[in-house]
Amino acid sequence: MNSLFGNPSASRNISSGSIPGNASVSSVKVNVNVSSGSDSFYLYVKHPSGYSASRLVGSTSLSFTEFNGLDPYGTWQVYIVTTRTVSTATARMTVDYTY
């Protein structure tokens, strides 16, 4: 993902795949690989319902509790927004759920 001058990067869609009907989110984790020379940035995770949460990336492992208890089914989105000039990163998201 690439963000320039405070503009959001393109969103990356992540499908939940097949989920049991009574499932609920128990944790969301994102592992981030920041490219050398990148300015600081916010990483946003957007739930299929439209609810979103963000973290200022200061670590390569981020946890989000804001989605706990929500239905994990659907297409999630992840994107970044630089705080300065340019930021580049890759991310891998894991959504754990109980049922």
Side-chain angles (χ1 to χ4, degrees):
M1 296 175 280
N2 297 298
S3 174
L4 297 168
F5 304 109
N7 293 307
S9 69
S11 293
R12 300 296 182 228
N13 293 332
I14 303 163
S15 174
S16 64
S18 180
I19 301 285
N22 59 345
S24 65
V25 174
S26 58
S27 71
V28 174
K29 296 175 185 160
V30 181
N31 291 318
V32 184
N33 184 5
V34 181
S35 295
S36 178
S38 288
D39 292 320
S40 60
F41 61 90
Y42 286 90
L43 181 133
Y44 287 80
V45 174
K46 189 173 182 181
H47 182 268
S49 70
Y51 179 76
S52 66
S54 66
R55 297 284 186 277
L56 180 62
V57 175
S59 162
T60 58
S61 182
L62 307 172
S63 294
F64 293 82
T65 58
E66 294 90 339
F67 305 106
N68 290 1
L70 299 179
D71 183 349
Y73 181 75
T75 301
W76 294 69
Q77 294 180 329
V78 176
Y79 62 95
I80 64 172
V81 177
T82 187
T83 60
R84 298 174 74 197
T85 305
V86 62
S87 297
T88 302
T90 58
R92 179 179 299 268
M93 185 174 86
T94 303
V95 177
D96 294 322
Y97 60 88
T98 58
Y99 60 96

